[in-house]
Amino acid sequence: MAYVHGYDERANERLDDQARTLLELLHADTSYPAGSLVLEAGCGVGAQTVTLAQRSPGARFVSIDVEAESVAAARARVVRAGVSNVELRQADIFDLPFAEGSFDHVFVCFVLEHLAQPVQALEILARVLRPGGTITVIEGDHGSTYFHPDSAAAHEAIQCQVELQHAAGGDSNIGRRVYPVLVEAGFSAVHVRPLMVYVDASRPELVDGFTRKTFTAMIEGVREDAIAAGLIGAERFDEGIRDLYRTAEADGTFSSAFFRGVGERGG
Amino acid sequence: MAYVHGYDERANERLDDQARTLLELLHADTSYPAGSLVLEAGCGVGAQTVTLAQRSPGARFVSIDVEAESVAAARARVVRAGVSNVELRQADIFDLPFAEGSFDHVFVCFVLEHLAQPVQALEILARVLRPGGTITVIEGDHGSTYFHPDSAAAHEAIQCQVELQHAAGGDSNIGRRVYPVLVEAGFSAVHVRPLMVYVDASRPELVDGFTRKTFTAMIEGVREDAIAAGLIGAERFDEGIRDLYRTAEADGTFSSAFFRGVGERGG
């Protein structure tokens, strides 16, 4: 039992290390002043929550998610990390239980990609911001992904994820649209910065943590749904996944971009 | 005459401004110590030469190109800019008129994309470097290009440039291969950094200078060759170009990446 427990702990640490590599890139610029109140909208199982809260120890966070199970998982994660400046609540972005102007800042990461109406969601989030408060939006873009050796099968496998997301009402390529959706939602002083993840053999922590265990694992995760939906044959999908793993070898490279936008609520 | 002259000067200044926007990004990290001797291999008409030389006023540059006309144009540009630390020579990378170990540094920008044997070119360039000397390689990657609104026609027009370059023995998508080609050519301590150009309406100098006048103008430039080669129909090509210009409007975005690699000649 002790051994198994020890093994699990090490596995968790390794997963956390991998997540940290990407989180460092995504959140390097995100820190909130002491005393500010921040809404994390769509926290999921809390993948970003602990990092966010630890980077701004003087700020207070309210992290919400629409799924009760996710909120419970996020709460467990926050408790495990010993973070005390986060309050977790189950709540729907489209039916927020907060008064207008309640928050100094809003943080939204990997959420808009799932929404059929991202502009409407941002308009609602704008209302709970005080005038002059800021929103930070971080989204990926699967269409920003390319690699060496190149592979049509790998692009087809990635496209399955894009099409499944699309069928569910979302947009896996929303990263490139962060600027126009923030502008359309009425935010001012909108500034978007690309965060490009580039991986080659000189960056072994990213080869393993990003190319293999984050990106390729995510695409691998849609295998059954993609085949069931008739988007691709099993052999072609598996060829694409093999080719994605191939880019993690010594002479391979892998690139994908995220976009980080900041906007201000007008007065 | 005076008016025409004045007009040309202003046009040239504007072109230089546009080039500078991209050059700043590409060359921000490139400066050589006083007293060092640098080979710029494949200087073309000197688009980078003046920037390079001005950023390292204490270094001396030997800039070569295989085309006599390009060398003459580069020389005129260097003279016009009043730069005195550059010597221009006509020479072929595959038949270099320099002794082994002649240079402290080698600089290669937008050259490998044109070569059928980039690794062989790098091996030759390694020989004229002193042991411990460094090479800097900058290349673009057309496959790194994506935009909003997305457009299949625009991607097809870009692909024409990729296929024409391929037919000429080159690789327009070599940016992602800078790491493996430097390693294969025997360089050590290879480090590659992506340089991503991201454009939205909040960056008007890039909307005009990069999206319109650099990238889209370059693709537009292959129109006749692409149609003559039967790669695309005229209408579809023109639709693609229109869609690229469309990405330069207020709600559009445009992304493309360059790769900057540095390696060291082993002892």
Side-chain angles (χ1 to χ4, degrees):
Chain A
M1 272 295 273
Y3 175 73
V4 171
H5 180 68
Y7 176 83
D8 282 344
E9 267 195 345
R10 257 173 292 139
N12 275 336
E13 270 168 31
R14 201 156 50 101
L15 283 173
D16 278 354
D17 280 348
Q18 290 153 15
R20 263 202 289 276
T21 309
L22 180 59
L23 292 184
E24 278 303 317
L25 176 86
L26 298 182
H27 301 320
D29 284 0
T30 305
S31 94
Y32 298 104
S36 55
L37 185 62
V38 184
L39 173 64
E40 184 194 9
C43 65
V45 296
Q48 332 282 324
T49 308
V50 169
T51 304
L52 258 188
Q54 286 176 335
R55 294 189 82 95
S56 300
R60 284 177 307 130
F61 293 82
V62 177
S63 297
I64 64 166
D65 199 89
V66 70
E67 302 287 348
E69 280 179 31
S70 295
V71 171
R75 186 174 288 122
R77 208 164 178 145
V78 161
V79 168
R80 208 161 52 226
V83 166
S84 61
N85 55 336
V86 178
E87 177 193 341
L88 280 145
R89 287 180 65 165
Q90 182 186 0
D92 185 347
I93 289 177
F94 291 97
D95 185 22
L96 288 178
F98 308 112
E100 169 140 7
S102 299
F103 293 94
D104 299 300
H105 304 285
V106 170
F107 179 85
V108 191
C109 184
F110 303 150
V111 171
L112 301 186
E113 63 175 316
H114 301 291
L115 305 179
Q117 293 166 310
V119 172
Q120 195 196 330
L122 291 174
E123 285 167 347
I124 293 167
L125 290 169
R127 269 179 242 136
V128 299
L129 263 181
R130 65 163 166 81
T134 69
I135 189 166
T136 299
V137 174
I138 299 176
E139 296 288 339
D141 191 309
H142 283 8
S144 75
T145 305
Y146 52 97
F147 31 79
H148 173 74
D150 203 359
S151 153
H155 283 291
E156 286 167 32
I158 294 169
Q159 192 57 26
C160 290
Q161 206 280 349
V162 174
E163 284 169 33
L164 289 168
Q165 182 86 284
H166 182 73
D171 179 2
S172 294
N173 296 349
I174 199 170
R176 72 190 72 180
R177 292 203 290 133
V178 166
Y179 179 82
V181 296
L182 279 168
V183 170
E184 196 182 337
F187 288 96
S188 58
V190 174
H191 184 75
V192 173
R193 210 161 60 80
L195 303 163
M196 185 170 159
V197 183
Y198 163 73
V199 187
D200 63 33
S202 73
R203 307 166 186 242
E205 76 292 353
L206 283 172
V207 170
D208 199 53
F210 188 75
T211 306
R212 287 200 191 101
K213 291 184 178 145
T214 300
F215 191 90
T216 305
M218 173 189 64
I219 300 301
E220 237 177 332
V222 305
R223 184 182 189 276
E224 306 315 320
D225 287 347
I227 294 167
L231 296 174
I232 197 167
E235 276 187 32
R236 185 68 170 170
F237 187 88
D238 294 342
E239 182 187 349
I241 295 297
R242 270 197 308 276
D243 288 350
L244 286 173
Y245 282 116
R246 169 68 184 83
T247 71
E249 291 181 25
D251 63 347
T253 71
F254 190 92
S255 296
S256 194
F258 299 84
F259 291 81
R260 181 182 187 279
V262 178
E264 212 172 277
R265 181 183 174 176
Chain B
M1 274 293 275
Y3 176 73
V4 171
H5 180 68
Y7 176 81
D8 282 343
E9 268 193 346
R10 256 173 293 139
N12 275 334
E13 269 167 32
R14 201 156 48 101
L15 284 172
D16 279 354
D17 279 348
Q18 291 154 12
R20 262 201 291 276
T21 309
L22 181 60
L23 291 184
E24 277 304 315
L25 176 85
L26 298 181
H27 300 319
D29 283 0
T30 305
S31 93
Y32 297 106
S36 56
L37 186 61
V38 184
L39 173 65
E40 184 194 8
C43 65
V45 298
Q48 332 282 323
T49 309
V50 169
T51 303
L52 257 190
Q54 285 176 336
R55 293 188 82 94
S56 301
R60 285 178 306 130
F61 292 83
V62 177
S63 296
I64 64 166
D65 199 88
V66 69
E67 302 286 348
E69 278 178 31
S70 294
V71 172
R75 187 174 288 124
R77 207 164 179 146
V78 162
V79 168
R80 210 160 51 226
V83 166
S84 61
N85 55 336
V86 178
E87 178 193 339
L88 281 145
R89 288 179 65 165
Q90 183 186 0
D92 185 348
I93 288 177
F94 291 96
D95 185 22
L96 289 177
F98 306 113
E100 170 141 4
S102 298
F103 294 93
D104 299 301
H105 305 285
V106 170
F107 180 86
V108 192
C109 183
F110 302 149
V111 171
L112 300 186
E113 63 174 317
H114 300 291
L115 305 180
Q117 293 167 312
V119 172
Q120 196 196 328
L122 291 174
E123 285 167 346
I124 292 168
L125 291 168
R127 270 179 240 134
V128 299
L129 264 182
R130 66 165 166 78
T134 68
I135 190 166
T136 299
V137 175
I138 299 175
E139 298 288 338
D141 191 309
H142 283 8
S144 75
T145 305
Y146 52 97
F147 31 80
H148 173 72
D150 203 359
S151 153
H155 282 292
E156 286 168 33
I158 295 169
Q159 192 58 23
C160 289
Q161 204 280 348
V162 173
E163 284 171 33
L164 289 168
Q165 182 86 287
H166 182 72
D171 179 3
S172 294
N173 295 350
I174 198 169
R176 71 191 73 180
R177 291 203 290 133
V178 165
Y179 179 82
V181 296
L182 279 168
V183 169
E184 195 182 337
F187 287 95
S188 58
V190 174
H191 184 74
V192 172
R193 208 161 61 81
L195 303 163
M196 185 170 160
V197 183
Y198 162 73
V199 187
D200 63 34
S202 72
R203 307 165 187 243
E205 75 292 353
L206 283 173
V207 170
D208 198 54
F210 188 75
T211 306
R212 288 200 190 101
K213 292 186 176 141
T214 299
F215 192 91
T216 306
M218 173 190 64
I219 300 301
E220 236 177 333
V222 305
R223 184 181 190 277
E224 306 315 319
D225 288 348
I227 294 166
L231 296 174
I232 197 167
E235 276 186 34
R236 184 69 169 169
F237 187 88
D238 294 342
E239 182 187 349
I241 296 296
R242 271 197 309 276
D243 288 350
L244 285 174
Y245 282 117
R246 169 69 184 84
T247 70
E249 291 179 25
D251 63 348
T253 71
F254 190 92
S255 297
S256 193
F258 299 83
F259 290 82
R260 180 180 186 278
V262 177
E264 211 174 277
R265 180 181 175 178

